[in-house]
Amino acid sequence: MRMRKKPWVDSLLQNPPSFVLGDVLSLSGKTHAHYDIVHLEIGSGKGDYWIQMSQIYPKDLWIGIEKEMNVAAVAIKKASEAIKDNQLFLIGDAQNYLEQFSDHDIDIIHLNFSDPWPKKRTHKRRLSASTFIDQYKRILSEEGQIIMKTDNKDLFEYSMVQFSQSGFVLEEMSVDFRREQQEDAISEYEARFMSLNQPIYRCIWRKKHRG
Ligand SMILES: C[S@@+](CC[C@H](N)C(=O)[O-])C[C@H]1O[C@@H](n2cnc3c(N)ncnc32)[C@H](O)[C@@H]1O
Protein backbone atom coordinates (compact mmCIF):
# COMPACT_ATOMS: atom_id res chain seq x y z
CA MET A 1 0.00 0.00 0.00
CA ARG A 2 1.62 3.27 -1.12
CA MET A 3 0.20 6.63 -0.13
CA ARG A 4 0.91 10.27 -0.77
CA LYS A 5 2.74 11.82 2.17
CA LYS A 6 0.56 13.82 4.55
CA PRO A 7 1.95 17.13 5.91
CA TRP A 8 1.83 16.02 9.57
CA VAL A 9 3.74 12.75 9.08
CA ASP A 10 7.26 14.09 9.70
CA SER A 11 6.40 15.85 12.94
CA LEU A 12 4.48 12.82 14.24
CA LEU A 13 7.31 10.41 13.45
CA GLN A 14 10.07 12.71 14.71
CA ASN A 15 8.44 12.63 18.11
CA PRO A 16 6.39 9.42 18.11
CA PRO A 17 4.13 8.31 20.96
CA SER A 18 5.68 5.85 23.41
CA PHE A 19 3.85 2.83 21.95
CA VAL A 20 6.00 3.17 18.81
CA LEU A 21 9.13 1.13 19.44
CA GLY A 22 12.51 1.67 17.83
CA ASP A 23 13.29 -2.02 18.00
CA VAL A 24 12.06 -5.29 19.43
CA LEU A 25 14.73 -5.35 22.12
CA SER A 26 12.87 -2.63 24.01
CA LEU A 27 9.98 -5.09 24.34
CA SER A 28 11.64 -7.17 27.00
CA GLY A 29 9.54 -7.46 30.12
CA LYS A 30 6.43 -6.17 28.34
CA THR A 31 5.17 -9.41 26.89
CA HIS A 32 4.09 -12.57 28.70
CA ALA A 33 4.87 -11.16 32.13
CA HIS A 34 2.01 -8.67 31.78
CA TYR A 35 -0.38 -10.02 29.16
CA ASP A 36 -2.33 -13.25 28.59
CA ILE A 37 -1.63 -13.63 24.88
CA VAL A 38 0.89 -11.83 22.67
CA HIS A 39 -0.31 -11.07 19.12
CA LEU A 40 1.75 -9.83 16.20
CA GLU A 41 0.06 -8.38 13.12
CA ILE A 42 2.39 -8.09 10.15
CA GLY A 43 1.42 -5.52 7.51
CA SER A 44 -1.03 -3.60 9.72
CA GLY A 45 -1.79 -0.99 7.06
CA LYS A 46 -3.73 1.94 8.52
CA GLY A 47 -4.23 0.04 11.76
CA ASP A 48 -7.98 -0.67 11.93
CA TYR A 49 -7.53 -4.34 12.83
CA TRP A 50 -4.69 -3.77 15.29
CA ILE A 51 -6.55 -0.94 17.08
CA GLN A 52 -9.94 -2.68 17.26
CA MET A 53 -8.49 -6.00 18.40
CA SER A 54 -6.52 -4.32 21.19
CA GLN A 55 -9.82 -2.84 22.36
CA ILE A 56 -11.77 -6.12 22.10
CA TYR A 57 -9.00 -8.04 23.91
CA PRO A 58 -7.56 -5.65 26.52
CA LYS A 59 -5.76 -8.41 28.45
CA ASP A 60 -3.69 -9.33 25.39
CA LEU A 61 -0.73 -7.47 23.95
CA TRP A 62 -1.11 -6.35 20.31
CA ILE A 63 2.01 -5.55 18.30
CA GLY A 64 1.60 -4.14 14.79
CA ILE A 65 4.27 -3.84 12.10
CA GLU A 66 3.91 -1.75 8.95
CA LYS A 67 6.71 -1.02 6.53
CA GLU A 68 5.26 1.96 4.62
CA MET A 69 6.01 5.01 6.74
CA ASN A 70 3.07 7.12 5.55
CA VAL A 71 0.62 4.27 6.07
CA ALA A 72 2.10 3.46 9.49
CA ALA A 73 1.74 7.12 10.43
CA VAL A 74 -2.03 6.93 9.83
CA ALA A 75 -2.26 3.88 12.13
CA ILE A 76 -0.20 5.65 14.81
CA LYS A 77 -2.28 8.83 14.57
CA LYS A 78 -5.53 6.86 14.90
CA ALA A 79 -4.23 4.89 17.88
CA SER A 80 -2.99 8.05 19.58
CA GLU A 81 -6.55 9.34 19.68
CA ALA A 82 -7.63 6.53 22.04
CA ILE A 83 -4.38 5.08 23.30
CA LYS A 84 -4.48 1.72 25.09
CA ASP A 85 -1.56 0.34 27.08
CA ASN A 86 -1.73 -3.01 25.24
CA GLN A 87 -0.72 -1.55 21.86
CA LEU A 88 2.81 -1.49 20.46
CA PHE A 89 3.87 -0.58 16.94
CA LEU A 90 6.96 -1.05 14.82
CA ILE A 91 7.61 0.86 11.60
CA GLY A 92 9.68 -0.97 9.02
CA ASP A 93 10.08 -4.24 7.17
CA ALA A 94 9.04 -7.21 9.28
CA GLN A 95 12.03 -9.10 7.93
CA ASN A 96 14.33 -6.86 9.97
CA TYR A 97 12.29 -7.14 13.15
CA LEU A 98 11.49 -10.86 13.12
CA GLU A 99 15.10 -11.80 13.82
CA GLN A 100 15.09 -9.54 16.90
CA PHE A 101 12.28 -11.46 18.60
CA SER A 102 13.33 -14.21 20.98
CA ASP A 103 12.16 -17.80 20.56
CA HIS A 104 8.52 -18.25 21.69
CA ASP A 105 7.87 -14.50 22.18
CA ILE A 106 4.62 -14.51 20.18
CA ASP A 107 1.43 -16.57 20.55
CA ILE A 108 -0.54 -15.58 17.46
CA ILE A 109 0.62 -14.07 14.18
CA HIS A 110 -2.03 -12.30 12.08
CA LEU A 111 -1.61 -11.84 8.34
CA ASN A 112 -4.49 -9.73 7.04
CA PHE A 113 -4.79 -9.23 3.30
CA SER A 114 -1.05 -9.41 2.73
CA ASP A 115 0.32 -8.16 -0.57
CA PRO A 116 -0.16 -10.96 -3.14
CA TRP A 117 3.06 -10.41 -5.14
CA PRO A 118 1.57 -12.28 -8.13
CA LYS A 119 4.72 -12.74 -10.26
CA LYS A 120 6.61 -15.91 -9.50
CA ARG A 121 9.94 -14.12 -9.13
CA THR A 122 8.40 -11.96 -6.37
CA HIS A 123 6.86 -14.83 -4.37
CA LYS A 124 9.80 -14.65 -1.96
CA ARG A 125 8.40 -11.32 -0.71
CA ARG A 126 5.10 -12.90 0.27
CA LEU A 127 4.60 -12.93 4.03
CA SER A 128 3.91 -16.65 3.73
CA ALA A 129 7.17 -17.41 1.88
CA SER A 130 9.30 -20.07 3.57
CA THR A 131 11.91 -17.58 4.84
CA PHE A 132 9.19 -15.76 6.77
CA ILE A 133 7.60 -19.01 7.97
CA ASP A 134 10.95 -20.22 9.35
CA GLN A 135 11.08 -17.09 11.52
CA TYR A 136 7.42 -17.42 12.52
CA LYS A 137 8.11 -20.96 13.67
CA ARG A 138 10.99 -19.82 15.82
CA ILE A 139 9.25 -16.87 17.49
CA LEU A 140 5.91 -18.62 18.03
CA SER A 141 5.20 -20.27 21.37
CA GLU A 142 4.93 -24.08 21.46
CA GLU A 143 1.26 -24.12 20.48
CA GLY A 144 1.33 -20.77 18.67
CA GLN A 145 -0.92 -19.98 15.73
CA ILE A 146 -0.90 -18.17 12.42
CA ILE A 147 -4.23 -16.69 11.31
CA MET A 148 -4.36 -15.55 7.71
CA LYS A 149 -7.13 -13.80 5.80
CA THR A 150 -7.03 -12.84 2.16
CA ASP A 151 -9.23 -12.15 -0.85
CA ASN A 152 -6.58 -13.64 -3.14
CA LYS A 153 -7.15 -17.28 -4.09
CA ASP A 154 -3.68 -17.75 -5.53
CA LEU A 155 -1.98 -16.36 -2.42
CA PHE A 156 -4.27 -18.47 -0.24
CA GLU A 157 -3.45 -21.71 -2.08
CA TYR A 158 0.26 -20.92 -2.08
CA SER A 159 0.18 -20.16 1.66
CA MET A 160 -1.74 -23.34 2.48
CA VAL A 161 1.01 -25.36 0.81
CA GLN A 162 3.79 -23.38 2.49
CA PHE A 163 2.36 -23.73 6.01
CA SER A 164 1.65 -27.39 5.50
CA GLN A 165 5.16 -28.09 4.17
CA SER A 166 6.63 -26.28 7.17
CA GLY A 167 4.95 -28.71 9.55
CA PHE A 168 2.11 -26.48 10.76
CA VAL A 169 -1.17 -28.22 11.57
CA LEU A 170 -4.34 -26.92 9.91
CA GLU A 171 -7.02 -26.05 12.49
CA GLU A 172 -9.60 -24.15 10.47
CA MET A 173 -10.16 -23.20 6.87
CA SER A 174 -12.88 -21.21 5.20
CA VAL A 175 -13.26 -20.08 1.59
CA ASP A 176 -16.11 -17.74 2.52
CA PHE A 177 -15.31 -16.47 5.98
CA ARG A 178 -18.19 -14.74 7.76
CA ARG A 179 -18.24 -13.68 11.36
CA GLU A 180 -20.94 -14.96 13.61
CA GLN A 181 -19.87 -12.76 16.51
CA GLN A 182 -17.66 -9.72 16.83
CA GLU A 183 -14.70 -11.82 17.95
CA ASP A 184 -12.63 -10.70 14.98
CA ALA A 185 -12.22 -7.10 13.80
CA ILE A 186 -12.52 -5.99 10.18
CA SER A 187 -9.44 -4.50 8.51
CA GLU A 188 -9.54 -1.70 5.91
CA TYR A 189 -9.02 -4.08 3.00
CA GLU A 190 -11.48 -6.58 4.40
CA ALA A 191 -14.19 -3.89 4.63
CA ARG A 192 -13.59 -3.07 0.99
CA PHE A 193 -13.86 -6.71 -0.16
CA MET A 194 -16.93 -7.28 1.99
CA SER A 195 -18.64 -4.29 0.40
CA LEU A 196 -17.90 -5.81 -3.02
CA ASN A 197 -19.32 -9.13 -1.80
CA GLN A 198 -16.06 -10.91 -2.61
CA PRO A 199 -15.29 -14.14 -0.78
CA ILE A 200 -12.74 -13.97 2.01
CA TYR A 201 -10.40 -16.88 2.56
CA ARG A 202 -9.23 -17.62 6.07
CA CYS A 203 -7.02 -20.29 7.56
CA ILE A 204 -5.72 -20.97 11.06
CA TRP A 205 -2.55 -23.00 11.47
CA ARG A 206 -1.04 -24.21 14.71
CA LYS A 207 2.66 -24.85 15.23
CA LYS A 208 1.94 -28.28 16.62
CA HIS A 209 -0.97 -30.38 17.85
CA ARG A 210 -2.33 -29.26 21.20
CA GLY A 211 -0.90 -31.44 23.96
C1 LIG B 1 -2.70 -4.97 1.16
S1 LIG B 1 -2.22 -4.10 2.58
C2 LIG B 1 -3.33 -4.69 3.85
C3 LIG B 1 -3.36 -3.80 5.03
C4 LIG B 1 -4.21 -4.29 6.23
N1 LIG B 1 -3.62 -5.48 6.82
C5 LIG B 1 -5.62 -4.58 5.82
O1 LIG B 1 -6.04 -5.74 5.85
O2 LIG B 1 -6.35 -3.63 5.48
C6 LIG B 1 -0.72 -4.94 3.02
C7 LIG B 1 0.15 -4.12 3.93
O3 LIG B 1 1.25 -4.91 4.35
C8 LIG B 1 2.42 -4.10 4.38
N2 LIG B 1 3.58 -5.00 4.25
C9 LIG B 1 3.85 -5.81 3.21
N3 LIG B 1 5.01 -6.48 3.42
C10 LIG B 1 5.45 -6.07 4.63
C11 LIG B 1 6.62 -6.38 5.40
N4 LIG B 1 7.55 -7.23 4.93
N5 LIG B 1 6.77 -5.79 6.61
C12 LIG B 1 5.84 -4.91 7.06
N6 LIG B 1 4.73 -4.56 6.37
C13 LIG B 1 4.54 -5.14 5.18
C14 LIG B 1 2.22 -3.18 3.19
O4 LIG B 1 3.01 -2.01 3.28
C15 LIG B 1 0.72 -2.90 3.26
O5 LIG B 1 0.45 -1.75 4.04
Side-chain angles (χ1 to χ4, degrees), residues 8 54 57 89 101 106 176 185 195 200:
W8 45 264
S54 65
Y57 299 97
F89 206 82
F101 284 100
I106 304 295
D176 189 13
S195 73
I200 287 163

Side-chain angles (χ1 to χ4, degrees), residues 63-108:
I63 307 168
I65 307 184
E66 171 53 52
K67 72 173 180 183
E68 288 295 328
M69 201 175 66
N70 296 313
V71 179
V74 175
I76 292 165
K77 189 164 186 269
K78 275 191 216 164
S80 314
E81 284 154 16
I83 176 74
K84 295 265 174 283
D85 67 5
N86 64 335
Q87 297 168 332
L88 293 173
F89 206 82
L90 294 155
I91 307 172
D93 195 318
Q95 203 147 22
N96 303 328
Y97 289 121
L98 287 170
E99 58 199 32
Q100 296 179 2
F101 284 100
S102 301
D103 297 0
H104 313 308
D105 261 353
I106 304 295
D107 298 303
I108 306 183

Side-chain angles (χ1 to χ4, degrees), residues 1 43 45 66-68 92-94 112-113 115 127 187-189:
M1 187 195 291
E66 171 53 52
K67 72 173 180 183
E68 288 295 328
D93 195 318
N112 290 314
F113 300 86
D115 295 323
L127 293 178
S187 73
E188 307 92 70
Y189 270 67

